[in-house]
Amino acid sequence: MDKSSTLEYINQMFPTEASLSGVEPLMQKIHSEIRRIDSEILAAVRQQSNSGTKAKEDLAAATHAVEELMYKIREIKTKAEQSETMVQEICRDIKKLDFAKKHITTTITALHRLTMLVSAIEQLQIMASKRQYKEAAAQLEAVNQLCSHFEAYRDIPKITELREKFKNIKQILKSHVFSDFSSLGTGKESEETNLLQHLSDACLVVDALEPSVREELVNTFCSRELTSYEQIFEGAELAKLDKTERRYAWIKRRMRTNEEIWKIFPPSWHVPYRLCILFCKKTRKQLEEILVNLKEKPDVGTLLLALQRTLEFEDELAEKFGGGARSKEIISEDDIDKGENNSQLVSDIRKKYERKLAAHQGTEDEEKDGNKDVSVPGAGFNFRGIISSCFEPHLTVYIELEEKTLMESLEKLVQEETWDIEEGSQNNVLTSSMQLFLIIKRSLKRCSALTKNQTLFNLFKVFQRVLKAYATKLFAKLPKGGVGLVAAATGIDGQIKTSDRDERVICYIVNSAEYCHKTAGELAESVSKIIDSQYADGVDMSEVQDEFSAVITKALVTLVHGLETKFDIEMAAMTRIPWNTLESVGDQSGYVNNINLMLNNSIPVLGSLLSPIYFQFFLDKLASSLGPRFYVNIFKCKQISETGAQQMLLDTQAIKTILLDIPSLGRQTSSAASYSKFVSREMSKAEALLKVILSPVDSVADTYRALLPEGTTMEFQRVLELKGLKKADQQTILDDFNKLGPGIVQPPVAPPVIPAAPVPTIAPAMSNIASVSLIASGEDVLTRAAALGRGAASTGFKRFLALTEAAKDRKDGPFRKLFNA
């Protein structure tokens, strides 16, 4: 127990005074326990003393046993050394005899092999002199194996002599074989029936010789085979581009007629394969010379026909020698128009090639390097392009013909265009747009079947020019003229008057330009997938797409200004009404009914023909045009009485209702909220102006400041003139107005930005009231243009912004005043 608990233990044993009577028995018990423990300790000490003595005795006995063991080990080691010495003395003579036997055996074997080598070389010499090729081939293998055993003895004179003799015999065999092969192809094989078999045996000898001998023999044979080909097709008669097909017919016929000759060569030599490679290189060289030496541009039909036959021949070789088959595609003869010289045209182009044209150069270095790749058919050598690559630099005339054909087709399509869409059509796109891309697709098929290199890239440039030309023709079809900001920016005078048919045509142009924009991008993607990788980065239709985006912009602006022109006619009718002499307030005026009729005739058609993104442009445009225009038009009236102002207020409410109903007329209400908000705000300004005119003379200034806080002194003076006040009365009111100053000028609220709008909202032309400024900032305009996507802001609207910047310098006109406001 812990010391700290002793007191507790005692208190626990004797909790009361009465329990103290047990102290004496407890003490006796404790003393008895102490005596017992002391006796146990004493016994343990005595036992431990005895154990120490015994442990020393055990240790001494163990040490003595170890010493005896070490003595026995040394004795065994000594006896082992004595035994080893005895064994060496016994085996000493046996080892000498063993080495002697080994040397004698080696010597006998070497002498035996030497005898065999001497005999084999002598026999080989006899076989070589008698031209016994079959036996000589087997003997060559044997001699080669025997010579390999004497590689370590090449410094011995006898061995050197035998090796030199063997070398000479191989040289004799080589000369005999080359001499016999020189008669192959001269007609002797038909006279001597055994010659082919004899040459077949000679091939066995060539295989037994060095690999360089086989290469030399094959090259010599192939060169000799093509000697007649070079002589025939280098002549004046057949060295022409239109005779290209006869070249391939010659080699095919040669391969068929000499089929028995090819059988004498082992299949591992691939002689036909090597012959075709050499033929292709020689043919390419001759065709290059023909194309370079032409005094005039080659006829397109002849050039393409030669290229087509060349590609077909290359494809046949690739399939025959392991190049694999390629997908086939038939293109009609009508896909290529006739040239000026009425030459034979390309027909039946049946294969669409998927390859890279290799620029094979006929130099000796390439010949040497090429041999490494042509030992096995299909191993690193590509027949596709080995000949046809020489046509690539001379296909400019083909591209010129394609461009001429496409441009003529474009002119024909535009001339035959009805500028109308059949009923039931879903895409509302002009026929000429779809037909143009069908023609371009056929042109792409023709070219991709011939080449996927520089020529295809040049044709893509032609496609760009053709599409830009079509964009120009769409642009030219738009009605001419202009009003408002567009006229100020572009310098075009007059109004844009559009009939119902004109509005439909403009919608068709918008849809067609959008179709061309999208399809041009898809065309670029298709070309980039099939063209050679080094040209893929240059395949880009962004400039063409910008052209069509500019057409869309111009078409939509033209359409809107056509509506503005109709609106101006009714606004002019409004100013001719004698507002000062009206006796009573009646139903809405006639010009309001005409505006309603005009919008009811136009808006449903536009909503059905235009996509939501383009129709939304009208909502944005009309919101920033018709409302402010009506406000400005009130100032153009001569004088307005109280009754006239009440009638005009009624008309204003009616026009506001008509404008707010435009989204539902077009059946496109997805973005009507922002449009309605802006129209309500702008028409509320007109209502406020009329309320100012209706206010009493003594409170007109306060009413004007309250309802039109952004107004100016010049505008307020015009309000006084509309009320019919005399100059003197006007001056008094103006002086008081100027003392107090105009109302708190609030920052003008820009037209609502509709994120999905294809083009930016542009404020229309107004009167010379400088306070009305509805032109969005350049950044706002670019933001709106960017919503169109596909590069719409990059060309069309940047050009428009540049024109508006230039218009700032004009000395007159509303545009100048707006910028000075």
Side-chain angles (χ1 to χ4, degrees), residues 235-283:
E237 181 179 354
L238 296 179
K240 296 179 181 179
L241 198 60
D242 56 355
K243 306 296 182 182
T244 303
E245 187 175 3
R246 297 183 62 177
R247 297 172 177 270
Y248 310 133
W250 183 91
I251 189 63
K252 292 176 185 178
R253 185 171 59 252
R254 191 74 172 179
M255 298 285 285
R256 288 194 303 269
T257 56
N258 292 343
E259 188 173 357
E260 291 297 325
I261 296 178
W262 309 130
K263 292 181 180 179
I264 70 174
F265 297 105
S268 60
W269 288 19
H270 308 296
V271 174
Y273 171 71
R274 300 284 296 276
L275 179 64
C276 289
I277 292 176
L278 186 59
F279 169 82
C280 291
K281 292 183 177 181
K282 290 182 179 295
T283 301

Short mmCIF file of all heavy atoms in Angstrom, two decimals, residues 235-283:
data_model
loop_
_atom_site.label_atom_id
_atom_site.label_comp_id
_atom_site.label_asym_id
_atom_site.label_seq_id
_atom_site.Cartn_x
_atom_site.Cartn_y
_atom_site.Cartn_z
N GLY A 235 11.59 9.22 -127.54
CA GLY A 235 11.49 9.68 -128.92
C GLY A 235 10.46 10.78 -129.07
O GLY A 235 9.61 11.02 -128.21
N ALA A 236 10.50 11.43 -130.21
CA ALA A 236 9.62 12.57 -130.45
C ALA A 236 8.16 12.16 -130.54
O ALA A 236 7.25 12.93 -130.23
CB ALA A 236 10.04 13.28 -131.75
N GLU A 237 7.91 10.92 -130.96
CA GLU A 237 6.53 10.48 -131.19
C GLU A 237 5.78 10.21 -129.89
O GLU A 237 4.64 10.64 -129.72
CB GLU A 237 6.53 9.23 -132.05
CG GLU A 237 5.12 8.72 -132.36
CD GLU A 237 5.14 7.49 -133.23
OE1 GLU A 237 6.23 7.10 -133.69
OE2 GLU A 237 4.06 6.92 -133.45
N LEU A 238 6.41 9.50 -128.95
CA LEU A 238 5.73 9.10 -127.73
C LEU A 238 6.09 9.95 -126.51
O LEU A 238 5.52 9.75 -125.44
CB LEU A 238 6.05 7.64 -127.41
CG LEU A 238 5.55 6.62 -128.44
CD1 LEU A 238 5.94 5.21 -128.03
CD2 LEU A 238 4.03 6.71 -128.61
N ALA A 239 7.02 10.85 -126.66
CA ALA A 239 7.40 11.72 -125.54
C ALA A 239 6.44 12.89 -125.44
O ALA A 239 6.82 14.06 -125.55
CB ALA A 239 8.84 12.20 -125.70
N LYS A 240 5.17 12.58 -125.25
CA LYS A 240 4.13 13.59 -125.17
C LYS A 240 3.24 13.27 -123.97
O LYS A 240 3.14 12.13 -123.53
CB LYS A 240 3.29 13.62 -126.45
CG LYS A 240 4.09 14.03 -127.69
CD LYS A 240 3.21 14.02 -128.92
CE LYS A 240 4.00 14.40 -130.17
NZ LYS A 240 3.17 14.36 -131.39
N LEU A 241 2.58 14.31 -123.50
CA LEU A 241 1.76 14.15 -122.31
C LEU A 241 0.56 13.27 -122.58
O LEU A 241 0.14 12.49 -121.71
CB LEU A 241 1.30 15.53 -121.81
CG LEU A 241 0.79 15.61 -120.38
CD1 LEU A 241 1.86 15.17 -119.40
CD2 LEU A 241 0.32 17.03 -120.06
N ASP A 242 -0.01 13.35 -123.78
CA ASP A 242 -1.19 12.55 -124.08
C ASP A 242 -0.86 11.08 -124.30
O ASP A 242 -1.78 10.26 -124.49
CB ASP A 242 -1.92 13.12 -125.29
CG ASP A 242 -1.02 13.22 -126.52
OD1 ASP A 242 0.19 12.94 -126.39
OD2 ASP A 242 -1.52 13.58 -127.60
N LYS A 243 0.41 10.72 -124.32
CA LYS A 243 0.81 9.32 -124.47
C LYS A 243 1.16 8.68 -123.13
O LYS A 243 1.72 7.59 -123.08
CB LYS A 243 2.03 9.22 -125.39
CG LYS A 243 1.85 9.89 -126.76
CD LYS A 243 0.76 9.22 -127.59
CE LYS A 243 0.66 9.90 -128.97
NZ LYS A 243 -0.41 9.30 -129.78
N THR A 244 0.81 9.36 -122.04
CA THR A 244 1.19 8.87 -120.71
C THR A 244 0.60 7.50 -120.43
O THR A 244 1.26 6.62 -119.86
CB THR A 244 0.74 9.87 -119.64
OG1 THR A 244 1.32 11.16 -119.91
CG2 THR A 244 1.17 9.42 -118.25
N GLU A 245 -0.63 7.30 -120.84
CA GLU A 245 -1.28 6.04 -120.55
C GLU A 245 -0.56 4.87 -121.22
O GLU A 245 -0.55 3.75 -120.69
CB GLU A 245 -2.74 6.09 -121.01
CG GLU A 245 -3.55 4.88 -120.60
CD GLU A 245 -5.01 5.02 -120.96
OE1 GLU A 245 -5.38 6.04 -121.59
OE2 GLU A 245 -5.80 4.11 -120.63
N ARG A 246 0.06 5.11 -122.38
CA ARG A 246 0.76 4.04 -123.08
C ARG A 246 1.99 3.58 -122.30
O ARG A 246 2.44 2.45 -122.45
CB ARG A 246 1.15 4.52 -124.48
CG ARG A 246 -0.07 4.85 -125.35
CD ARG A 246 0.30 5.24 -126.75
NE ARG A 246 0.98 4.15 -127.45
CZ ARG A 246 1.36 4.22 -128.73
NH1 ARG A 246 1.14 5.34 -129.42
NH2 ARG A 246 1.96 3.21 -129.30
N ARG A 247 2.56 4.46 -121.50
CA ARG A 247 3.70 4.07 -120.66
C ARG A 247 3.28 2.96 -119.70
O ARG A 247 3.98 1.96 -119.52
CB ARG A 247 4.22 5.28 -119.88
CG ARG A 247 4.76 6.40 -120.75
CD ARG A 247 5.08 7.63 -119.90
NE ARG A 247 5.66 8.70 -120.71
CZ ARG A 247 6.96 8.86 -120.92
NH1 ARG A 247 7.82 8.03 -120.36
NH2 ARG A 247 7.42 9.86 -121.66
N TYR A 248 2.15 3.18 -119.05
CA TYR A 248 1.70 2.20 -118.06
C TYR A 248 1.24 0.91 -118.74
O TYR A 248 1.40 -0.17 -118.18
CB TYR A 248 0.59 2.81 -117.22
CG TYR A 248 0.96 4.17 -116.67
CD1 TYR A 248 0.10 5.26 -116.76
CD2 TYR A 248 2.21 4.38 -116.10
CE1 TYR A 248 0.46 6.51 -116.27
CE2 TYR A 248 2.58 5.62 -115.60
CZ TYR A 248 1.70 6.68 -115.70
OH TYR A 248 2.06 7.91 -115.23
N ALA A 249 0.67 1.06 -119.93
CA ALA A 249 0.30 -0.15 -120.68
C ALA A 249 1.54 -0.95 -121.06
O ALA A 249 1.53 -2.19 -121.06
CB ALA A 249 -0.48 0.25 -121.94
N TRP A 250 2.63 -0.26 -121.37
CA TRP A 250 3.88 -0.95 -121.74
C TRP A 250 4.41 -1.79 -120.59
O TRP A 250 4.75 -2.96 -120.77
CB TRP A 250 4.93 0.09 -122.16
CG TRP A 250 6.22 -0.52 -122.63
CD1 TRP A 250 6.55 -0.86 -123.90
CD2 TRP A 250 7.35 -0.88 -121.80
NE1 TRP A 250 7.81 -1.41 -123.94
CE2 TRP A 250 8.33 -1.44 -122.65
CE3 TRP A 250 7.61 -0.80 -120.46
CZ2 TRP A 250 9.56 -1.89 -122.19
CZ3 TRP A 250 8.83 -1.26 -119.98
CH2 TRP A 250 9.79 -1.80 -120.84
N ILE A 251 4.48 -1.22 -119.39
CA ILE A 251 5.03 -1.98 -118.26
C ILE A 251 4.11 -3.11 -117.86
O ILE A 251 4.56 -4.21 -117.48
CB ILE A 251 5.31 -1.04 -117.06
CG1 ILE A 251 6.09 -1.78 -115.98
CG2 ILE A 251 4.04 -0.47 -116.50
CD1 ILE A 251 7.45 -2.24 -116.41
N LYS A 252 2.79 -2.92 -117.98
CA LYS A 252 1.86 -4.01 -117.66
C LYS A 252 2.03 -5.15 -118.66
O LYS A 252 2.02 -6.34 -118.28
CB LYS A 252 0.42 -3.49 -117.69
CG LYS A 252 0.09 -2.50 -116.58
CD LYS A 252 -1.33 -1.99 -116.74
CE LYS A 252 -1.64 -0.90 -115.72
NZ LYS A 252 -3.02 -0.37 -115.91
N ARG A 253 2.16 -4.80 -119.92
CA ARG A 253 2.35 -5.83 -120.95
C ARG A 253 3.67 -6.55 -120.76
O ARG A 253 3.76 -7.77 -120.92
CB ARG A 253 2.28 -5.16 -122.33
CG ARG A 253 2.34 -6.14 -123.49
CD ARG A 253 2.04 -5.45 -124.81
NE ARG A 253 2.97 -4.36 -125.07
CZ ARG A 253 2.67 -3.07 -125.00
NH1 ARG A 253 1.45 -2.70 -124.64
NH2 ARG A 253 3.58 -2.15 -125.26
N ARG A 254 4.68 -5.78 -120.40
CA ARG A 254 6.00 -6.37 -120.17
C ARG A 254 5.94 -7.35 -118.99
O ARG A 254 6.57 -8.42 -119.03
CB ARG A 254 7.00 -5.25 -119.87
CG ARG A 254 8.45 -5.70 -119.86
CD ARG A 254 8.96 -5.95 -121.24
NE ARG A 254 10.40 -6.19 -121.26
CZ ARG A 254 11.09 -6.46 -122.36
NH1 ARG A 254 10.47 -6.53 -123.54
NH2 ARG A 254 12.39 -6.68 -122.30
N MET A 255 5.21 -7.00 -117.97
CA MET A 255 5.10 -7.88 -116.79
C MET A 255 4.37 -9.17 -117.16
O MET A 255 4.71 -10.24 -116.66
CB MET A 255 4.34 -7.15 -115.67
CG MET A 255 5.04 -5.89 -115.16
SD MET A 255 6.45 -6.23 -114.11
CE MET A 255 5.62 -6.74 -112.63
N ARG A 256 3.36 -9.05 -118.03
CA ARG A 256 2.62 -10.25 -118.41
C ARG A 256 3.43 -11.17 -119.33
O ARG A 256 3.48 -12.38 -119.14
CB ARG A 256 1.31 -9.86 -119.10
CG ARG A 256 0.26 -9.27 -118.18
CD ARG A 256 -1.09 -9.23 -118.86
NE ARG A 256 -1.03 -8.46 -120.11
CZ ARG A 256 -1.28 -7.16 -120.19
NH1 ARG A 256 -1.59 -6.49 -119.08
NH2 ARG A 256 -1.21 -6.53 -121.34
N THR A 257 4.08 -10.58 -120.34
CA THR A 257 4.81 -11.41 -121.32
C THR A 257 6.05 -12.06 -120.70
O THR A 257 6.47 -13.13 -121.14
CB THR A 257 5.23 -10.54 -122.51
OG1 THR A 257 6.00 -9.42 -122.05
CG2 THR A 257 4.02 -10.04 -123.27
N ASN A 258 6.64 -11.45 -119.72
CA ASN A 258 7.85 -11.99 -119.09
C ASN A 258 7.55 -12.73 -117.80
O ASN A 258 8.41 -12.86 -116.92
CB ASN A 258 8.86 -10.88 -118.82
CG ASN A 258 9.42 -10.29 -120.10
OD1 ASN A 258 9.30 -10.91 -121.17
ND2 ASN A 258 10.01 -9.12 -120.01
N GLU A 259 6.31 -13.19 -117.68
CA GLU A 259 5.92 -13.85 -116.44
C GLU A 259 6.76 -15.10 -116.17
O GLU A 259 7.11 -15.40 -115.02
CB GLU A 259 4.44 -14.22 -116.51
CG GLU A 259 3.88 -14.74 -115.21
CD GLU A 259 2.37 -14.94 -115.27
OE1 GLU A 259 1.77 -14.60 -116.32
OE2 GLU A 259 1.81 -15.44 -114.29
N GLU A 260 7.14 -15.84 -117.24
CA GLU A 260 7.97 -17.03 -117.07
C GLU A 260 9.37 -16.66 -116.60
O GLU A 260 10.00 -17.39 -115.85
CB GLU A 260 8.04 -17.81 -118.39
CG GLU A 260 6.74 -18.47 -118.81
CD GLU A 260 6.29 -19.52 -117.81
OE1 GLU A 260 7.18 -20.20 -117.24
OE2 GLU A 260 5.08 -19.67 -117.59
N ILE A 261 9.84 -15.52 -117.08
CA ILE A 261 11.19 -15.08 -116.69
C ILE A 261 11.22 -14.74 -115.20
O ILE A 261 12.18 -15.05 -114.49
CB ILE A 261 11.63 -13.87 -117.53
CG1 ILE A 261 11.74 -14.28 -119.01
CG2 ILE A 261 12.92 -13.28 -117.03
CD1 ILE A 261 12.12 -13.16 -119.93
N TRP A 262 10.13 -14.09 -114.70
CA TRP A 262 10.12 -13.68 -113.29
C TRP A 262 10.20 -14.88 -112.36
O TRP A 262 10.66 -14.78 -111.23
CB TRP A 262 8.88 -12.85 -112.96
CG TRP A 262 8.62 -11.71 -113.88
CD1 TRP A 262 7.45 -11.42 -114.51
CD2 TRP A 262 9.52 -10.69 -114.28
NE1 TRP A 262 7.57 -10.30 -115.28
CE2 TRP A 262 8.85 -9.81 -115.16
CE3 TRP A 262 10.87 -10.43 -114.00
CZ2 TRP A 262 9.44 -8.72 -115.75
CZ3 TRP A 262 11.47 -9.33 -114.60
CH2 TRP A 262 10.76 -8.49 -115.46
N LYS A 263 9.73 -16.07 -112.86
CA LYS A 263 9.70 -17.24 -112.00
C LYS A 263 11.10 -17.78 -111.66
O LYS A 263 11.26 -18.53 -110.71
CB LYS A 263 8.87 -18.34 -112.65
CG LYS A 263 7.39 -18.01 -112.74
CD LYS A 263 6.62 -19.15 -113.39
CE LYS A 263 5.13 -18.82 -113.48
NZ LYS A 263 4.37 -19.92 -114.13
N ILE A 264 12.09 -17.43 -112.49
CA ILE A 264 13.44 -17.93 -112.21
C ILE A 264 14.03 -17.26 -110.98
O ILE A 264 14.94 -17.81 -110.34
CB ILE A 264 14.37 -17.73 -113.42
CG1 ILE A 264 14.67 -16.24 -113.62
CG2 ILE A 264 13.78 -18.36 -114.67
CD1 ILE A 264 15.69 -15.98 -114.70
N PHE A 265 13.53 -16.07 -110.63
CA PHE A 265 14.06 -15.35 -109.47
C PHE A 265 13.36 -15.83 -108.20
O PHE A 265 12.14 -16.03 -108.19
CB PHE A 265 13.86 -13.84 -109.63
CG PHE A 265 14.58 -13.24 -110.79
CD1 PHE A 265 13.90 -12.87 -111.95
CD2 PHE A 265 15.95 -13.05 -110.74
CE1 PHE A 265 14.57 -12.31 -113.01
CE2 PHE A 265 16.63 -12.50 -111.81
CZ PHE A 265 15.94 -12.13 -112.96
N PRO A 266 14.08 -16.01 -107.14
CA PRO A 266 13.44 -16.37 -105.87
C PRO A 266 12.45 -15.30 -105.44
O PRO A 266 12.68 -14.10 -105.65
CB PRO A 266 14.62 -16.46 -104.89
CG PRO A 266 15.82 -16.68 -105.74
CD PRO A 266 15.56 -15.96 -107.02
N PRO A 267 11.32 -15.68 -104.85
CA PRO A 267 10.33 -14.67 -104.42
C PRO A 267 10.89 -13.64 -103.45
O PRO A 267 10.44 -12.48 -103.42
CB PRO A 267 9.23 -15.53 -103.76
CG PRO A 267 9.38 -16.89 -104.37
CD PRO A 267 10.85 -17.06 -104.61
N SER A 268 11.88 -14.04 -102.66
CA SER A 268 12.45 -13.10 -101.68
C SER A 268 13.20 -11.95 -102.34
O SER A 268 13.50 -10.96 -101.68
CB SER A 268 13.38 -13.85 -100.73
OG SER A 268 14.45 -14.46 -101.45
N TRP A 269 13.52 -12.09 -103.63
CA TRP A 269 14.22 -11.01 -104.31
C TRP A 269 13.27 -9.86 -104.70
O TRP A 269 13.72 -8.74 -104.90
CB TRP A 269 14.91 -11.54 -105.58
CG TRP A 269 16.10 -12.40 -105.30
CD1 TRP A 269 16.41 -13.02 -104.14
CD2 TRP A 269 17.15 -12.71 -106.22
NE1 TRP A 269 17.57 -13.73 -104.25
CE2 TRP A 269 18.06 -13.55 -105.53
CE3 TRP A 269 17.41 -12.40 -107.54
CZ2 TRP A 269 19.21 -14.05 -106.13
CZ3 TRP A 269 18.56 -12.91 -108.14
CH2 TRP A 269 19.45 -13.73 -107.44
N HIS A 270 11.98 -10.16 -104.86
CA HIS A 270 10.98 -9.13 -105.23
C HIS A 270 11.40 -8.37 -106.49
O HIS A 270 11.36 -7.13 -106.51
CB HIS A 270 10.76 -8.15 -104.08
CG HIS A 270 10.45 -8.80 -102.77
ND1 HIS A 270 9.31 -9.55 -102.55
CD2 HIS A 270 11.16 -8.87 -101.60
CE1 HIS A 270 9.31 -10.02 -101.32
NE2 HIS A 270 10.42 -9.63 -100.72
N VAL A 271 11.78 -9.12 -107.50
CA VAL A 271 12.25 -8.45 -108.72
C VAL A 271 11.16 -7.62 -109.39
O VAL A 271 11.41 -6.46 -109.78
CB VAL A 271 12.84 -9.50 -109.70
CG1 VAL A 271 13.21 -8.84 -111.03
CG2 VAL A 271 14.07 -10.16 -109.08
N PRO A 272 9.92 -8.12 -109.56
CA PRO A 272 8.88 -7.26 -110.16
C PRO A 272 8.65 -5.97 -109.37
O PRO A 272 8.45 -4.91 -109.94
CB PRO A 272 7.64 -8.15 -110.16
CG PRO A 272 8.16 -9.55 -110.11
CD PRO A 272 9.39 -9.48 -109.29
N TYR A 273 8.70 -6.09 -108.06
CA TYR A 273 8.52 -4.92 -107.20
C TYR A 273 9.62 -3.89 -107.43
O TYR A 273 9.37 -2.69 -107.60
CB TYR A 273 8.50 -5.42 -105.75
CG TYR A 273 8.55 -4.35 -104.69
CD1 TYR A 273 7.46 -3.53 -104.44
CD2 TYR A 273 9.68 -4.18 -103.89
CE1 TYR A 273 7.49 -2.57 -103.45
CE2 TYR A 273 9.72 -3.24 -102.89
CZ TYR A 273 8.62 -2.43 -102.67
OH TYR A 273 8.65 -1.49 -101.68
N ARG A 274 10.86 -4.35 -107.48
CA ARG A 274 12.00 -3.47 -107.72
C ARG A 274 11.94 -2.87 -109.11
O ARG A 274 12.29 -1.71 -109.32
CB ARG A 274 13.30 -4.25 -107.52
CG ARG A 274 13.48 -4.84 -106.11
CD ARG A 274 13.86 -3.76 -105.12
NE ARG A 274 15.14 -3.20 -105.46
CZ ARG A 274 16.30 -3.73 -105.09
NH1 ARG A 274 16.32 -4.83 -104.36
NH2 ARG A 274 17.44 -3.15 -105.42
N LEU A 275 11.51 -3.68 -110.07
CA LEU A 275 11.40 -3.18 -111.44
C LEU A 275 10.37 -2.07 -111.54
O LEU A 275 10.60 -1.05 -112.22
CB LEU A 275 11.03 -4.34 -112.37
CG LEU A 275 10.86 -3.97 -113.85
CD1 LEU A 275 12.18 -3.49 -114.44
CD2 LEU A 275 10.33 -5.17 -114.65
N CYS A 276 9.24 -2.23 -110.86
CA CYS A 276 8.20 -1.20 -110.90
C CYS A 276 8.68 0.10 -110.24
O CYS A 276 8.35 1.20 -110.71
CB CYS A 276 6.93 -1.71 -110.20
SG CYS A 276 6.07 -2.99 -111.12
N ILE A 277 9.43 -0.01 -109.18
CA ILE A 277 9.96 1.21 -108.53
C ILE A 277 10.88 1.95 -109.49
O ILE A 277 10.77 3.18 -109.66
CB ILE A 277 10.69 0.83 -107.23
CG1 ILE A 277 9.71 0.33 -106.20
CG2 ILE A 277 11.47 2.03 -106.69
CD1 ILE A 277 10.35 -0.14 -104.92
N LEU A 278 11.78 1.22 -110.13
CA LEU A 278 12.70 1.86 -111.07
C LEU A 278 11.93 2.44 -112.25
O LEU A 278 12.25 3.55 -112.73
CB LEU A 278 13.73 0.84 -111.55
CG LEU A 278 14.85 1.39 -112.43
CD1 LEU A 278 15.64 2.47 -111.68
CD2 LEU A 278 15.80 0.27 -112.86
N PHE A 279 10.91 1.74 -112.72
CA PHE A 279 10.08 2.25 -113.81
C PHE A 279 9.41 3.57 -113.40
O PHE A 279 9.38 4.53 -114.17
CB PHE A 279 9.03 1.21 -114.19
CG PHE A 279 7.96 1.73 -115.11
CD1 PHE A 279 8.17 1.82 -116.47
CD2 PHE A 279 6.74 2.14 -114.59
CE1 PHE A 279 7.19 2.32 -117.31
CE2 PHE A 279 5.75 2.64 -115.42
CZ PHE A 279 5.97 2.72 -116.79
N CYS A 280 8.87 3.62 -112.19
CA CYS A 280 8.18 4.83 -111.72
C CYS A 280 9.14 6.02 -111.64
O CYS A 280 8.79 7.15 -112.03
CB CYS A 280 7.55 4.58 -110.35
SG CYS A 280 6.15 3.44 -110.38
N LYS A 281 10.35 5.78 -111.17
CA LYS A 281 11.31 6.87 -111.06
C LYS A 281 11.74 7.38 -112.43
O LYS A 281 11.86 8.60 -112.65
CB LYS A 281 12.52 6.40 -110.26
CG LYS A 281 12.20 6.14 -108.80
CD LYS A 281 13.43 5.74 -108.00
CE LYS A 281 13.08 5.55 -106.53
NZ LYS A 281 14.24 5.17 -105.72
N LYS A 282 11.95 6.47 -113.36
CA LYS A 282 12.32 6.90 -114.72
C LYS A 282 11.16 7.63 -115.38
O LYS A 282 11.35 8.62 -116.09
CB LYS A 282 12.75 5.69 -115.54
CG LYS A 282 14.08 5.08 -115.12
CD LYS A 282 14.47 3.92 -116.01
CE LYS A 282 15.83 3.34 -115.59
NZ LYS A 282 16.93 4.31 -115.78
N THR A 283 9.94 7.13 -115.17
CA THR A 283 8.76 7.76 -115.76
C THR A 283 8.57 9.16 -115.20
O THR A 283 8.27 10.11 -115.94
CB THR A 283 7.51 6.91 -115.47
OG1 THR A 283 7.70 5.60 -116.03
CG2 THR A 283 6.28 7.53 -116.10
#
